[in-house]
Amino acid sequence: MKITHAIIPTAGFGTRMLPLSKAVPKELLPLGSRPAIAYVIEEAVSAGIKNIVLVNHAQKTAIENYFDINSELDTQLRAKGKETLADGLNFLPSDVSITSVRQGKPLGLGHAVLQGRAVVGDAPFAVLLPDVVLDPFTGGYGRDNLAFMLARFAKTGRSQILVDPVADGDIHKYGIARLANKEMVAKGNSNQVFDVQGFVEKPSLEVAPSNLAVVGRYVFDNAIFDYLAKTVPSVGGEIQLTDAIDALIGAQGMDVVTMMGGSFDAGDMESYLKAFMYFAGRQLGV
Ligand code: G1P
């Protein structure tokens, strides 16, 4: 079954990015010459996604406006002969739509994804966490990972989660995959697929079941919505996506896919600054 829907949760306040994120949504902070979320949307579109659902917050409508056509500005630019500039602002293909729903209460990532159900309906769908930006410049384009996961879902019907081997010191920041055997996987040059038995959210190194961290790209069978609707708050008092994923694994099984190329955490100040320098450097050719 071909997947054309993707949910992107954007309602979070980005407290790790203060003070930058006080008045500007963290998703609109620049990576080089474009806002971070523009690369995430481009990744989704290049993998074949047509219907993008932002799960947004009332104070972050600037994200919706960025992807809208500002016809006043468009008319003004064209009247002055600045056609190329105007064309560059209306960059989404005409068959791609961006819809926005609201997450009025900060009840967790699982709750945010569930808010997308009103638009996605009965279809399978992808989820992209916008804090994570895949490297669009090197390594055969990180965005090919999502295309690989979508193709595998179309072939097997099994849900797919992108993972990347991380250093011991970073294990506690991520959801970590539990495989059939406790395996340590080296980063390779291809998408490797493993049968996954569950995930542990942000474990200590001692209890971590592998070194494979959830990167923030998911392809789900629609049944995940039923499990999310039944999920009760757990870690941090929030409705965790990880809990619904474990329920889905119990019912249908699931694959993890190792990531090709690099990724950046644009939701954390130190890695955001490194990402900014990398993107700016590539765009300046230095
Ligand atoms: C979320 C997920 C976690 C994943 C991470 C990737 O955590 O819950 O499993 O590894 O995104 O960035 P967050 O960073 O929102 O706390």
Side-chain angles (χ1 to χ4, degrees):
M1 196 170 177
K2 198 167 158 46
I3 292 188
T4 58
H5 287 84
I7 295 175
I8 304 187
T10 56
F13 279 143
T15 49
R16 290 182 296 161
M17 292 301 289
L18 287 169
L20 288 180
S21 57
K22 190 178 174 205
V24 177
K26 68 180 191 301
E27 293 80 2
L28 292 183
L29 294 174
L31 283 181
S33 61
R34 299 164 70 199
I37 195 171
Y39 301 98
V40 179
I41 300 267
E42 185 177 79
E43 175 197 343
V45 170
S46 71
I49 296 294
K50 304 287 184 200
N51 312 106
I52 292 163
V53 187
L54 302 176
V55 182
N56 206 8
H57 185 278
Q59 285 176 19
K60 300 178 76 177
T61 50
I63 302 173
E64 298 159 22
N65 295 343
Y66 181 79
F67 292 103
D68 199 1
I69 292 174
N70 180 341
S71 51
E72 212 178 320
L73 177 61
D74 189 76
T75 308
Q76 201 182 95
L77 288 172
R78 289 182 199 284
K80 289 180 179 160
K82 296 181 176 170
E83 302 287 337
T84 313
L85 191 53
D87 290 345
L89 296 181
N90 309 328
F91 51 85
L92 284 178
S94 57
D95 61 347
V96 171
S97 72
I98 298 198
T99 309
S100 156
V101 297
R102 292 283 168 87
Q103 185 188 23
K105 293 181 181 171
L107 298 181
L109 178 59
H111 177 258
V113 171
L114 187 56
Q115 305 317 300
R117 190 176 205 171
V119 179
V120 172
D122 295 333
F125 61 97
V127 173
L128 292 88
L129 304 186
D131 278 358
V132 181
V133 180
L134 304 195
D135 183 349
F137 303 109
T138 55
Y141 288 92
R143 65 186 67 137
D144 289 347
N145 291 296
L146 186 59
F148 178 88
M149 293 160 71
L150 294 170
R152 251 195 91 75
F153 179 87
K155 204 167 141 194
T156 65
R158 281 165 69 85
S159 297
Q160 311 284 317
I161 296 189
L162 193 66
V163 291
D164 197 32
V166 290
D168 288 358
D170 289 329
I171 292 251
H172 69 280
K173 297 183 195 164
Y174 300 101
I176 302 293
R178 190 171 66 246
L179 308 182
N181 304 308
K182 182 168 169 149
E183 291 180 64
M184 300 302 273
V185 179
K187 193 167 175 75
N189 257 339
S190 62
N191 293 118
Q192 303 171 69
V193 181
F194 298 91
D195 181 47
V196 64
Q197 304 204 319
F199 289 90
V200 187
E201 187 63 24
K202 305 189 176 80
S204 65
L205 179 60
E206 291 68 39
V207 301
S210 75
N211 63 341
L212 293 178
V214 173
V215 175
R217 301 294 183 267
Y218 312 78
V219 171
F220 287 127
D221 182 272
N222 189 267
I224 193 83
F225 281 143
D226 289 335
Y227 293 110
L228 282 171
K230 287 184 215 148
T231 300
V232 294
S234 60
V235 181
E238 296 189 344
I239 297 174
Q240 295 287 349
L241 180 59
T242 309
D243 291 340
I245 288 172
D246 278 348
L248 187 65
I249 290 172
Q252 310 186 341
M254 194 177 291
D255 294 334
V256 288
V257 175
T258 57
M259 184 176 80
M260 278 177 65
S263 69
F264 298 90
D265 183 354
D268 169 82
M269 188 62 84
E270 195 183 323
S271 34
Y272 165 75
L273 292 174
K274 285 182 187 154
F276 180 88
M277 291 200 295
Y278 175 76
F279 276 67
R282 293 306 295 247
Q283 287 164 352
L284 289 169
V286 291

